[in-house]
Amino acid sequence: MADTSGRVTLWGIEVFAATAEELSISAAARRLDASASAVSQQLSNLETALGAVLMDRSARPIALTPAGELFRRRAQVILNEAAEARAELAGRDLSRLMRFNLGMIEDFDADVTPRLLSQMGDRLSSSRFLLETGASHRLYDLLEHRALDMIVAAEAGATAAWMEVHPLLEEPFVAAVPKGLSVACDPMDLLSKTPLIRYTTRHLMGRQIDEHLAAEGLRLEYRFELDSYHSIMAMVAGGAGWSILTPLGVMRAGRFRDAVDVIELPFAPISRRISLIARQDALFEMPAEIAERLRPLLEELIVVPCRERMPWLGDSLRVL
């Protein structure tokens, strides 16, 4: 086997880009389905080939050196060109793609995602799949840096020129309150006197809620800020306060659904839109095709069960 320690390889650049994004060799190794030792060796080989130290691996988390920051911009250009070349060489026969990296919002991981992956496995019979589930803002970052080919995530406002967006689902925000409390008094009076259990503003959904409350002139007291639907619903069920979630969030916390009441927000409504996003024209018709496969799944697995439990939702929860 030829010695590649003195050469700049595409694999070495991919390893560097993943490590620069994750700031962790072990996390980069998991993303790339490689061993930590292989990632470390590729980084050493790349630094040898370039004659520069790119990362301070003694820092926690790993830190890019000035040379590393400079090379990161060049690396992204190289990876972008390589991705476009692969798509062009595959032409419109996307069944020839060897690897497909998909990002899915956590809200879909139990029901929708397994069904979709099964269908995609039939469509892309030669591909190896990587699935990343997580918060929407993280999925956008991974898509922008080409760590993912396509994502399903909550829309984040204005879209970039390079994005191809296919709307899938619109859902309203709702109030989850302790069981029986919602009928005791006026809802707005209830919510203003009961502590808010806040969905974390480190995530896109939490920031959207926070901005809406500010626009409504509402300053609601809170002690707890959490990033888990299950933890929030458990605290609401225990009478610790109320929270603003979406029907998807309520349904995901299945253990606690019967121990809380879910009501409409007693102030101006707010909703979010979940869409499929890919790089413009990079995958030809595939984003539109996957969106078409997703819509009936969302109707069956999300919309129908939510409306059965919360019929007052009506068309405020709908497939787009």
Side-chain angles (χ1 to χ4, degrees):
M1 181 180 294
D3 179 13
T4 60
S5 60
R7 302 177 187 173
V8 176
T9 66
L10 186 59
W11 174 234
I13 295 172
E14 287 187 52
V15 167
F16 167 78
T19 308
E21 175 71 23
E22 299 287 350
L23 298 180
S24 163
I25 287 177
S26 59
R30 286 193 296 273
R31 180 199 289 190
L32 297 168
D33 194 21
S35 67
S37 60
V39 167
S40 183
Q41 185 61 57
Q42 285 297 320
L43 292 174
S44 296
N45 290 349
L46 183 63
E47 289 177 328
T48 297
L50 294 173
V53 176
L54 302 176
M55 295 182 172
D56 179 1
R57 289 188 244 176
S58 65
R60 292 294 181 272
I62 285 176
L64 293 179
T65 65
E69 291 285 1
L70 180 64
F71 184 68
R72 184 179 187 177
R73 294 192 291 273
R74 294 292 186 185
Q76 196 58 59
V77 173
I78 294 168
L79 294 177
N80 288 349
E81 288 292 331
E84 290 175 10
R86 280 195 293 266
E88 288 176 4
L89 290 171
R92 296 182 182 271
D93 183 11
L94 292 171
S95 64
R96 295 166 54 193
L97 284 176
M98 297 303 295
R99 187 175 65 194
F100 189 82
N101 299 335
L102 174 67
M104 293 288 286
I105 192 171
E106 293 169 316
D107 306 62
F108 291 169
D109 63 2
D111 302 310
V112 177
T113 302
R115 290 272 295 273
L116 177 64
L117 287 178
S118 178
Q119 293 183 14
M120 290 181 66
D122 294 336
R123 170 72 167 82
L124 303 176
S125 57
S126 301
S127 297
R128 185 175 185 181
F129 289 88
L130 178 144
L131 174 67
E132 180 91 23
T133 58
S136 294
H137 67 275
R138 173 167 169 74
L139 298 181
Y140 276 104
D141 288 343
L142 293 174
L143 178 67
E144 183 176 3
H145 290 94
R146 290 194 181 270
L148 295 174
D149 299 308
M150 184 185 302
I151 66 172
V152 174
E155 289 189 9
T159 56
W162 55 266
M163 291 182 183
E164 177 180 342
V165 180
H166 298 268
L168 298 172
L169 180 77
E170 185 169 23
E171 64 170 343
F173 286 86
V174 297
V177 303
K179 193 75 173 177
L181 198 59
S182 60
V183 298
C185 59
D186 175 73
M188 194 64 242
D189 185 55
L190 161 73
L191 300 187
S192 63
K193 294 179 179 178
T194 306
L196 174 68
I197 301 170
R198 186 184 194 187
Y199 189 80
T200 179
T201 53
R202 290 185 290 106
H203 290 186
L204 176 62
M205 190 173 94
R207 293 195 293 273
Q208 186 180 358
I209 294 169
D210 203 50
E211 289 168 3
H212 185 69
L213 292 176
E216 290 295 301
L218 295 172
R219 296 179 57 86
L220 301 174
E221 296 298 322
Y222 71 93
R223 291 182 57 207
F224 300 101
E225 182 173 334
L226 308 176
D227 67 353
S228 163
Y229 296 140
H230 287 81
S231 296
I232 290 172
M233 289 283 283
M235 294 190 71
V236 172
W242 69 284
S243 189
I244 301 174
L245 296 173
T246 66
L248 266 172
V250 171
M251 297 297 279
R252 279 197 72 203
R255 285 178 54 198
F256 307 103
R257 286 192 305 234
D258 294 332
V260 306
D261 286 334
V262 181
I263 62 174
E264 294 180 86
L265 294 177
F267 42 82
I270 175 178
S271 64
R272 69 170 181 168
R273 179 174 288 191
I274 296 174
S275 296
L276 182 149
I277 304 104
R279 300 193 73 84
Q280 186 73 42
D281 299 326
L283 295 171
F284 303 105
E285 295 89 359
M286 180 177 282
E289 178 185 324
I290 299 300
E292 282 304 304
R293 289 175 181 264
L294 268 168
R295 290 186 182 104
L297 292 179
L298 295 175
E299 184 71 31
E300 174 191 350
L301 301 173
I302 302 297
V303 174
V304 170
C306 284
R307 285 182 181 168
E308 287 177 350
R309 177 169 284 270
M310 298 167 271
W312 47 268
L313 287 172
D315 290 336
S316 63
L317 173 65
R318 60 195 177 99
V319 171
L320 300 170

